[in-house]
Amino acid sequence: MTDKERLLKLRIDLHQHNVNYYINDNPTLSDHDFDQLLKELEGLEVKYPECYDVNSPTVRVGGGVTKSFPTVQHRYPMLSLSNSYSLEEIQEWISRVQKLEPEASFVCELKYDGVAIGIRYVNGALTQAVTRGDGTQGDEITNNVRTIKSIPLQLTGNVPPDFEIRGEIVLPHVAFNRLNEKRREDDLPLFANPRNCASGSLKLQDSKEVALRGLDAYLYYVLPEGTLSRHHSGAIAAAGALGFKVPLVKNRFISTCKGIDDIMSFINYWDEERKKLPFDIDGIVIKVDSYEAQQDLGYTAKSPRWATAYKFKTERVSTLLNHVTFQVGRTGAITPVANLESVWLGGTTVKRASLHNADQIDLLDLHLGDAVYVEKGGEIIPKIVGVDQSKREASAIKVDFIQNCPDCNSVLHRNDGEVQHYCLNAAGCSTQISGRIEHYISRKAMDISGMGQETVQLFVREGLVHHPADLYKLRYEHLINLDGFKEKSVFNILSGIAASTKVPFDRVLYALGIRHVGATVAKKLAKHFRSIEALSLASLEEISNVDTIGRVIAAQIIDFFEDAENSRMISQLKLSGITFDLRSEEPLALESVITGSKIVVSGIFSRFSRNELKDIIEKYGGVNVSSISGKTTYVIAGEGMGPSKLEKASSLGVPILSEQAFLELIGL
Ligand code: IVH
C-alpha cells in the first residue's frame, strides 16, 4: 500500500471508529489505538499536504479560528413549534389533526434543550452548519461544528447527493459541571445553564476551545422531506444507519404512537425519567409521521401544523428565606447566598440558593422571611426565581447588599458597568489572604502537597504567612510547635514548598492568582512574553492582542502589576528561586530579518506544515498573527489560500511570499 492509499484508508477507518464510539456506543478500538492511528494520519497529512481534506478525522481537535461568523440564508426556513403546558391542549391538537387525517400516526420525541442547527451534506461530505438565527437566516459555524465528535464529517454508502439534517447541539451535564468548576477556579463568571453554555461555545472564535467543551448533538429532521423515506420515523431510522446520532427506539427517545393513549404514556414516562438523562430536555415533541399527511396539514406563518410540543413544568417549590450571607472569594468578589428553610427539590434537599449579585437581589425585591420560589434547572446550584409578595408581612425587612466586607469590614467597591461587588483590601482581608495562598498551593498551580485549606488558615491566623512568598520563609521551628504538627507532617510541608521552585513559569503565572488568568491564559501569556519582566512591562494593547486574550483580562493584568504589594511579592518569590521565565526551559528566539515582524500564514505548503511554519516564524523572532491587516508585515501564501485574503493583502500593500521565498528570506 502506498502512503497515500494508507492515508485514505486511515480516514475511512477512523470515521467508522468514530461512528462506533460516539453513535453506536460500541467502541471497536481502545482509546490508545485510536490515538495511534490518528497520529499516523496526522503525520501523513503533514507529509502529503495535497491530500488536505476539511473533513478529515484530524479536524476534530479544532485548529481553525473564525473571526466573525457569516450570516447565511437557510435553504428551508427553520420554523419554531407551537407549544403548550397542558395535556388538554395536546388532546385538542390531536383531535384537530385526526379530523383532517383520520389515519394519521404520530411520532413522539424528546424536546432537546440546546441550540438548533442545520447541517448540509453534499456527496456525503459535511459542507455547512448554520444556527437557527431568525429562522430565515442564521450564522455559519461550520468549523466549530466539525469538532463535535458525534456529528459525522464524511458519510459512506448510498448517500443522497445533497440534503440537510437538523437537530440540537446539547452540552451534557458532566461537561457543563466540569466547565463551570474550572471557571470557578479561574474566577470567571459561571454559565447559567447548559443551553447558554452550548450556545456560547459554538460562537467561540478558536475551534480548538470548542473541541474541548464536550458538546454533543441529536439529529431529528431530514430535509427535504422524503429524502430518505416517506415517513419521518423511517427517515430518522435511515439517518441512523448513515451514521448520524438520532433518537433510538430502543432507548425510548422516539416512539411511533397511534393515538392519545400512547402519546400520554410517552409524556408521563419522560416527565419522570428525564431527571436521569445526562442532558436537559424541556418537553416532548409530537409529529405527524407521514410526509404526505404533513403536506396536507401545512404550516402557519411561524410553525408547522403537523407538529407541536408539550413543555414540562420546571419543578418549582416554595420555601422561606431565612437570611442572606455574603461570601468573599480569593479575588475579593462578594457572592450573596440565600439560606433557606430546607426543602425537597428534584431529588435533593435544598438549603441554599445562589443570588449572584446585588442586581439580582433588587430584581427580586427580596425581604427577610419571604416565601420564595426555588427552581433547579441544569445547573447544580438552585436559584430563586420569584417571591410570593402576598405572603410578606408588612414589617419584613428588605435585603440590602452589604456595604462593608463581612470579613475585614472595609468598604466594598463596584466598578461602573460591572455587576460584582469587590472587597479591595486584598492585603488585609484574611479570607482573601487564605484564598490566595490556597490557590497558590493548589494542584494546577504550585502543587504543594502536605498542606490543605485548614493548614493554610492556621498559618494565616498564626501570622506565619501573609502572602505566598512567606511560605518560603517557613522553618522547622515555626511549625513543630503548632497544634497537631508532627515531625513527618512538618517535613512533608517544607519539602513540598522547596520542590515548588521547580514549577514551570506558566504555572507560576497561574499561581499568582491574577483575576481572570486561568491555566490556559497563563500558558498563552508565558509562551508569548517569556518572562515576568516582559509581561509586567507590556501595554494593554500588547496583552490584549495575544491570541484570544482580550481587553478585560489585559486590564486585570495591568492592574495586578501596578499594585506595589504584588511587585514586592514577586521580588521576594524571585529571591526564593521561583521560575519567572521560560529562558531556561526553551531556547530564545533568534535575531533575524523577521524579528518583530507580524506574519500571516495561509494555505497549504509543500515543505512544511502550517504549524511547522508558525514554529519557524517564532523561532526566528517573528510573530504569527491570524488575520491580515495594515499592520501585517508579510503573508506567506500556500496553495488554496482564499482569493479574498489575497485581494486584501494586495490592497493593503502587504508583501505576499511563497513558502520558498520566505525560507530564503530567513536563510533556510
Ligand atoms: S422538530 C418545524 N424535534 O425546539 C419544527 N424540534 O421550540 C421542526 N427542538 O426550533 C423542529 N427537540 O430547535 C424538533 N425532537 C425535536 C426537537 C426540536 C428540540 C427544538 C428546535 C425547534 C424548537 C422549537
Side-chain angles (χ1 to χ4, degrees):
M1 193 184 290
T2 67
D3 273 2
K4 286 191 186 174
E5 282 165 353
R6 174 73 184 155
L7 181 150
L8 295 177
K9 178 170 180 340
L10 279 169
R11 277 193 188 144
I12 295 168
D13 289 355
L14 287 168
H15 279 310
Q16 189 54 48
H17 288 306
N18 258 324
V19 171
N20 296 343
Y21 190 100
Y22 291 102
I23 319 285
N24 301 339
D25 207 8
N26 181 22
T28 32
L29 213 57
S30 73
D31 288 359
H32 174 262
D33 291 349
F34 183 92
D35 288 343
Q36 290 296 108
L37 294 184
L38 198 68
K39 277 222 177 68
E40 185 185 347
L41 176 59
E42 269 169 358
L44 288 170
E45 287 182 347
V46 170
K47 197 163 162 197
Y48 300 101
E50 65 275 25
C51 297
Y52 178 77
D53 176 1
V54 273
N55 285 327
S56 163
T58 54
V59 312
R60 296 298 196 189
V61 292
V65 172
T66 316
K67 281 281 176 217
S68 66
F69 300 98
T71 307
V72 295
Q73 204 74 14
H74 286 298
R75 298 213 297 165
Y76 317 94
M78 233 166 161
L79 300 174
S80 54
L81 288 168
S82 60
N83 65 59
S84 73
Y85 287 89
S86 90
L87 295 171
E88 290 75 48
E89 283 179 55
I90 296 297
Q91 169 78 74
E92 283 164 22
W93 177 80
I94 294 166
S95 307
R96 272 202 307 279
V97 169
Q98 284 175 334
K99 212 182 245 165
L100 273 164
E101 301 286 334
E103 295 305 311
S105 80
F106 300 89
V107 175
C108 284
E109 286 169 21
L110 306 184
K111 188 169 187 309
Y112 304 93
D113 195 8
V115 180
I117 191 82
I119 313 171
R120 184 176 174 188
Y121 286 83
V122 178
N123 298 324
L126 189 162
T127 58
Q128 196 178 49
V130 185
T131 63
R132 179 167 187 278
D134 65 4
T136 12
Q137 49 183 28
D139 296 332
E140 206 219 296
I141 54 167
T142 317
N143 263 339
N144 288 347
V145 167
R146 282 201 173 101
T147 67
I148 301 173
K149 300 205 180 66
S150 49
I151 294 180
L153 298 171
Q154 180 69 53
L155 306 168
T156 45
N158 192 10
V159 183
D162 187 356
F163 71 99
E164 181 173 332
I165 189 156
R166 288 185 181 165
E168 209 84 355
I169 295 174
V170 297
L171 186 70
H173 297 145
V174 263
F176 172 72
N177 291 337
R178 191 183 44 196
L179 197 73
N180 257 355
E181 210 40 62
K182 186 166 175 302
R183 288 176 75 87
R184 197 192 305 278
E185 276 174 23
D186 294 352
D187 193 41
L188 288 167
L190 301 188
F191 286 110
N193 56 50
R195 181 177 15 86
N196 285 358
C197 185
S199 160
S201 302
L202 288 167
K203 290 290 174 63
L204 288 170
Q205 292 189 343
D206 186 351
S207 60
K208 269 204 203 86
E209 303 272 330
V210 186
L212 297 173
R213 292 270 163 116
L215 296 165
D216 199 356
Y218 280 93
L219 302 163
Y220 48 63
Y221 193 11
V222 183
L223 282 155
E225 285 97 346
T227 302
L228 295 172
S229 163
R230 288 172 54 209
H231 291 86
H232 171 64
S233 55
I236 292 302
L242 284 177
F244 287 107
K245 187 163 181 169
V246 292
L248 297 179
V249 177
K250 73 167 187 208
N251 297 339
R252 301 183 69 169
F253 280 20
I254 186 168
S255 176
T256 349
C257 298
K258 207 49 224 160
I260 185 75
D261 293 344
D262 291 353
I263 294 172
M264 288 304 164
S265 83
F266 189 89
I267 291 176
N268 291 332
Y269 174 80
W270 281 110
D271 199 2
E272 196 47 42
E273 286 299 304
R274 70 190 163 107
K275 292 163 197 153
K276 300 184 200 146
L277 281 171
F279 51 83
D280 285 345
I281 62 170
D282 58 348
I284 295 298
V285 182
I286 309 152
K287 301 172 182 173
V288 170
D289 197 15
S290 135
Y291 289 130
E292 207 178 312
Q294 286 189 8
Q295 281 304 309
D296 292 345
L297 286 156
Y299 296 81
T300 71
K302 277 189 285 181
S303 54
R305 288 202 184 84
W306 48 261
T308 192
Y310 171 76
K311 298 257 268 195
F312 294 128
K313 291 178 203 71
T314 315
E315 217 179 330
R316 174 186 287 197
V317 288
S318 170
T319 188
L320 292 182
L321 172 70
N322 288 332
H323 60 285
V324 175
T325 46
F326 295 85
Q327 292 177 344
V328 192
R330 72 174 157 85
T331 56
I334 309 286
T335 312
V337 177
N339 293 266
L340 308 166
E341 197 63 41
S342 298
V343 63
W344 187 252
L345 173 65
T348 50
T349 309
V350 173
K351 291 197 193 93
R352 284 142 57 90
S354 167
L355 283 167
H356 302 293
N357 52 50
D359 288 357
Q360 179 76 6
I361 294 178
D362 285 346
L363 207 67
L364 291 165
D365 182 32
L366 220 50
H367 285 59
L368 291 180
D370 266 350
V372 292
Y373 297 112
V374 183
E375 271 185 12
K376 204 152 91 174
E379 49 269 60
I380 335 161
I381 312 158
K383 60 170 181 263
I384 296 183
V385 291
V387 172
D388 185 349
Q389 306 262 359
S390 69
K391 294 215 175 113
R392 181 178 294 159
E393 308 239 340
S395 60
I397 301 165
K398 189 170 159 33
V399 174
D400 275 327
F401 205 87
I402 45 169
Q403 306 281 323
N404 297 74
C405 173
D407 178 23
C408 70
N409 206 34
S410 62
V411 176
L412 299 180
H413 186 81
R414 178 179 177 168
N415 282 339
D416 282 347
E418 279 187 27
V419 288
Q420 199 102 34
H421 280 76
Y422 284 96
C423 163
L424 300 182
N425 181 19
C429 179
S430 69
T431 318
Q432 287 187 61
I433 295 172
S434 311
R436 280 197 300 272
I437 298 169
E438 281 160 32
H439 172 75
Y440 184 84
I441 66 169
S442 65
R443 204 173 40 78
K444 279 198 317 199
M446 304 303 271
D447 194 19
I448 300 179
S449 51
M451 279 173 83
Q453 191 180 35
E454 279 168 27
T455 323
V456 172
Q457 284 168 1
L458 175 72
F459 288 0
V460 172
R461 249 196 336 270
E462 293 288 325
L464 289 168
V465 288
H466 205 74
H467 53 65
D470 292 337
L471 291 170
Y472 300 90
K473 295 186 195 133
L474 290 175
R475 297 291 169 261
Y476 179 84
E477 53 276 19
H478 296 137
L479 308 185
I480 195 67
N481 292 327
L482 292 175
D483 236 11
F485 277 69
K486 301 228 165 56
E487 192 121 335
K488 192 165 177 337
S489 47
V490 172
F491 175 77
N492 279 345
I493 291 176
L494 292 177
S495 56
I497 293 173
S500 72
T501 54
K502 299 278 177 303
V503 167
F505 178 42
D506 64 297
R507 274 172 51 198
V508 174
L509 208 46
Y510 169 65
L512 293 179
I514 306 171
R515 209 180 278 169
H516 302 332
V517 177
T520 318
V521 171
K523 270 206 183 77
K524 288 179 183 169
L525 291 169
K527 187 162 177 234
H528 186 90
F529 291 102
R530 306 185 66 87
S531 75
I532 196 96
E533 281 82 22
L535 176 61
S536 67
L537 294 172
S539 67
L540 186 88
E541 285 302 315
E542 282 171 285
I543 302 174
S544 54
N545 277 337
V546 176
D547 217 337
T548 46
I549 286 183
R551 297 183 79 84
V552 175
I553 301 179
Q556 293 294 345
I557 297 169
I558 301 273
D559 276 1
F560 180 86
F561 286 108
E562 274 175 3
D563 186 326
E565 186 84 18
N566 291 331
S567 309
R568 244 193 321 276
M569 174 179 76
I570 290 168
S571 308
Q572 287 178 29
L573 284 171
K574 257 187 213 159
L575 289 174
S576 304
I578 304 299
T579 315
F580 274 116
D581 56 41
L582 279 185
R583 261 164 264 163
S584 43
E585 295 158 30
E586 279 180 31
L588 249 178
L590 300 165
E591 269 297 316
S592 80
V593 281
I594 63 158
T595 297
S597 302
K598 294 196 166 60
I599 303 177
V600 173
V601 182
S602 180
I604 301 156
F605 301 91
S606 51
R607 259 184 74 187
F608 293 103
S609 74
R610 232 187 345 250
N611 280 337
E612 284 169 334
L613 279 177
K614 289 177 184 171
D615 287 344
I616 294 174
I617 293 171
E618 282 180 15
K619 192 168 153 209
Y620 280 77
V623 182
N624 172 241
V625 289
S626 48
S627 64
I628 302 170
S629 74
K631 292 190 198 136
T632 312
T633 328
Y634 300 110
V635 173
I636 311 178
E639 206 178 307
M641 172 173 165
S644 62
K645 275 193 181 169
L646 275 175
E647 213 167 277
K648 187 161 184 195
S650 37
S651 72
L652 290 167
V654 178
I656 301 169
L657 303 177
S658 67
E659 182 184 25
Q660 182 61 26
F662 168 69
L663 297 173
E664 277 167 16
L665 176 73
I666 55 171
L668 262 186

